[in-house]
Amino acid sequence: MPSSSLSPETMERLSRFVGKYLGLHFPVERHKDLLRGVARAAVELGRNGPEEFVEEILAGRANRHVLDNLAGQLTIGETYFFRDKRLLDLLREEVLPGLLRRASREGRPLRIWSAGCCTGEEPYTVAILLKELMRGATQVPVSILATDLNPRFLDKAQRAIYRQWSFRATPSRIRNAWFRSLPDEVWELSPDIRSMVSLACLNLAVDAYPALENRTNAQDLILCRNVLMYFSPQLGQKVVTKLHGCLVDGGLLVVGPSEGSLVTSSGLFSVDLNERGILYCRESCRIGQPAPNITSMPEPTEPDLAGPPALPVQDSLPAAGLLDRKAAGEASLIEQALHEARAAVERGCYAEAGERLASVDRSGLSPAQSGLLANLTARMLAGSGDLALAERTCREAIAADKMHAAHHYLLAVILQELRRLKEAVEALQKALYLEPGFLLAHFSLGLLLKELGREQESRRSLKNALAGLQGLDREGIVPESEGMTAGRITEIIQAMIG
């Protein structure tokens, strides 16, 4: 590592910056590790030493590409296929068969999230296990989401070409069955397995989840191993609370051996002790149960993952004329129920949201009120994984208030989850016809068109979104975005279009 004249005060400022914007925890005793990572990033980016690089970062001149590079240097990319045999045996023999049976019984896809997937070995391992378990059996649709904050790791996962070192714990039978040998002693993963996994960039420290938009909702199993250890205890607790909201009732969380105390101290999970691994099961979140306390742990140097205070429902779904102000008492009850239902959906407490929505007296509602109620009900259903009923309910919202762009946008999100992508494009186009300045619809349409291979149209939609974002406060929440800021969406778009 090159010598550095960075003062302790500068290192402390850098540590706070990295904690706030990358979610990575570097206390004083780890400042040497932080400096080593900064020095490596400075070399790779062509900077004249760590001093110049740190000045660029602290002055606010570092763009997302620079920060992603830094994140990659500060996190360990060490992983391999079929890591932790005891846990994998538990998944193969008990957990995955049980989850497949439940998903089949409930007539819905099995949903799994590998949070902090690195270069893809973990989610692809799970995909192989599932593929072999379902041979000759009733096929259950499977959705495996794999996310990481490091785009370089995700690029490698997307290519799915690995060297021998990634197979040091893999039975040769598995490698020969699901990989193709290429020159230079590398192996390429089968397209059948690759197609089971969706890769996405997501920062657990600053991005919004659970959210329909990034498919982090209604998960049956979340693997978040050796990720929480990078966070401070306060930030780690907040992440655990949000992961709880991403699981269906009875869903399972798996963390690293040293991270269990963060989960148990949250009080949100029951513990399933097994000699092959420890599983954490989501407890139900219902009315009368105290909401997780994620605001009482002050840490001014890190982002508040609880997000902003819940807005009145009509702030995100225009409410002009929605409530009869002459019937103030009834209007207040409706407002309160919808407000509380929205807040419950954002926390991932779908049973509570359902009870709040069921309490609304539907007699005498205006068409706009009926549409709003149906919209929130569809969000609750989609969040809990019942996509078929969510689609029907969203179409009821459109029938009640067909000129409301937000209803068409929600339908597009649900259709995308159902993998009916062309219909999702049409729904987004309708939303934009009704509201040409609907930023998130432009953004979502750009992402969807890119997935469909319509690159030129995708860039046009993303540039439309970028143009609309320019005049917004970077820290402001974009409507209908489930908590994403204008700055974060801007960074994602800039990384995509260069």
Side-chain angles (χ1 to χ4, degrees):
M1 183 188 74
S3 60
S4 170
S5 59
L6 294 174
S7 68
E9 293 77 13
T10 300
M11 290 301 300
E12 181 58 32
R13 288 180 60 206
L14 178 63
S15 175
R16 289 199 300 269
F17 181 96
V18 167
K20 180 176 181 179
Y21 292 101
L22 300 179
L24 305 177
H25 183 49
F26 285 89
V28 174
E29 58 270 23
R30 294 194 61 209
H31 279 185
K32 289 184 178 179
D33 295 332
L34 175 57
L35 183 56
R36 277 192 287 269
V38 167
R40 289 194 297 268
V43 171
E44 183 162 327
L45 293 166
R47 304 302 190 266
N48 295 320
E51 292 86 359
E52 176 185 302
F53 187 41
V54 170
E55 180 184 355
E56 174 185 348
I57 292 169
L58 296 181
R61 300 195 303 270
N63 59 25
R64 175 49 51 181
H65 168 70
V66 170
L67 294 180
D68 287 339
N69 187 289
L70 177 59
Q73 299 295 346
L74 295 176
T75 53
I76 299 172
E78 174 63 14
T79 186
Y80 48 92
F81 287 98
F82 287 81
R83 185 177 186 178
D84 194 343
K85 182 179 184 303
R86 291 193 304 170
L87 176 61
L88 291 175
D89 287 344
L90 177 61
L91 293 178
R92 179 194 293 110
E93 296 170 16
E94 298 182 33
V95 174
L96 294 178
L99 294 178
L100 284 168
R101 286 192 297 270
R102 185 172 71 178
S104 177
R105 184 171 63 249
E106 296 176 359
R108 60 175 181 80
L110 170 63
R111 295 169 64 87
I112 297 172
W113 177 16
S114 172
C117 69
C118 194
T119 48
E121 286 90 335
E122 177 180 85
Y124 289 141
T125 294
V126 173
I128 291 170
L129 291 179
L130 284 166
K131 196 75 170 178
E132 296 198 337
L133 281 171
M134 291 190 294
R135 277 178 173 168
T138 302
Q139 295 298 299
V140 175
V142 172
S143 169
I144 302 176
L145 173 66
T147 66
D148 202 277
L149 63 79
N150 189 334
R152 293 189 303 161
F153 290 167
L154 294 173
D155 286 344
K156 182 174 179 179
Q158 185 68 50
R159 292 192 299 271
I161 296 176
Y162 299 93
R163 296 195 174 276
Q164 187 62 40
W165 189 239
S166 291
F167 299 99
R168 56 190 182 275
T170 306
S172 57
R173 177 192 67 80
I174 295 288
R175 190 188 62 183
N176 293 334
W178 299 110
F179 293 83
R180 180 170 68 98
S181 177
L182 298 177
D184 300 324
E185 298 184 352
V186 297
W187 295 76
E188 182 180 31
L189 182 63
S190 160
D192 286 345
I193 300 300
R194 290 169 63 183
S195 65
M196 295 173 66
V197 177
S198 298
L199 297 161
C201 190
L202 187 141
N203 187 330
L204 290 172
V206 300
D207 285 334
Y209 57 97
L212 278 171
E213 284 75 7
N214 55 26
R215 301 173 60 191
T216 52
N217 63 295
Q219 299 293 329
D220 293 285
L221 172 66
I222 298 176
L223 300 166
C224 188
R225 296 193 288 169
N226 304 317
V227 176
L228 300 177
M229 66 183 186
Y230 286 109
F231 303 148
S232 69
Q234 293 89 346
L235 181 55
Q237 186 68 76
K238 293 176 184 180
V239 170
V240 166
T241 299
K242 291 174 73 66
L243 291 176
H244 173 270
C246 295
L247 289 163
V248 297
D249 285 346
L252 300 173
L253 172 66
V254 178
V255 299
S258 64
E259 301 167 325
S261 60
L262 279 173
V263 182
T264 54
S265 63
S266 71
L268 298 172
F269 294 84
S270 60
V271 182
D272 181 2
L273 296 173
N274 188 293
E275 63 180 9
R276 292 180 292 188
I278 301 176
L279 305 173
Y280 300 93
C281 181
R282 170 190 158 126
E283 296 290 326
S284 297
C285 182
R286 296 183 179 277
I287 293 174
Q289 178 179 346
N293 183 2
I294 58 177
T295 60
S296 63
M297 300 174 291
E299 185 164 35
T301 63
E302 295 184 348
D304 180 6
L305 294 188
L311 296 172
V313 174
Q314 56 266 46
D315 280 358
S316 60
L317 296 175
L322 282 185
L323 300 176
D324 182 2
R325 298 301 179 183
K326 294 180 181 179
E330 293 181 11
S332 177
L333 290 175
I334 293 173
E335 238 180 21
Q336 180 179 353
L338 295 176
H339 174 84
E340 292 175 350
R342 179 183 177 88
V345 167
E346 290 175 347
R347 296 198 311 273
C349 295
Y350 304 116
E352 177 180 341
E355 293 180 40
R356 292 301 191 199
L357 292 168
S359 71
V360 175
D361 183 0
R362 285 157 169 76
S363 62
L365 292 179
S366 70
Q369 288 174 332
S370 296
L372 176 56
L373 182 64
N375 183 289
L376 287 175
T377 302
R379 284 185 176 275
M380 177 270 296
L381 292 166
S384 59
D386 193 342
L387 295 173
L389 185 53
E391 181 191 354
R392 292 199 295 273
T393 306
C394 189
R395 292 190 185 279
E396 290 174 10
I398 293 172
D401 189 8
K402 65 179 66 176
M403 301 302 290
H404 206 313
H407 300 335
H408 294 278
Y409 172 77
L410 176 58
L411 178 61
V413 173
I414 294 169
L415 290 170
Q416 189 170 2
E417 275 282 85
L418 290 167
R419 306 308 293 162
R420 289 155 56 186
L421 303 186
K422 292 183 179 179
E423 291 178 68
V425 168
E426 293 173 1
L428 286 171
Q429 289 170 337
K430 288 180 182 178
L432 287 167
Y433 175 79
L434 293 169
E435 190 177 327
F438 197 155
L439 293 179
L440 204 67
H442 282 295
F443 176 58
S444 298
L445 182 59
L447 297 180
L448 187 51
L449 290 170
K450 184 175 180 63
E451 185 174 354
L452 289 169
R454 296 159 62 175
E455 294 288 343
Q456 187 173 354
E457 295 170 87
S458 170
R459 288 181 65 86
R460 183 163 59 246
S461 292
L462 291 173
K463 286 182 177 180
N464 287 338
L466 194 60
L469 288 163
Q470 296 307 309
L472 300 182
D473 176 7
R474 289 183 62 85
E475 300 303 318
I477 303 298
V478 176
E480 301 302 317
S481 70
E482 301 283 355
M484 291 183 72
T485 66
R488 180 59 174 155
I489 296 177
T490 298
E491 290 169 352
I492 293 171
I493 295 173
Q494 289 173 337
M496 293 179 66
I497 66 177

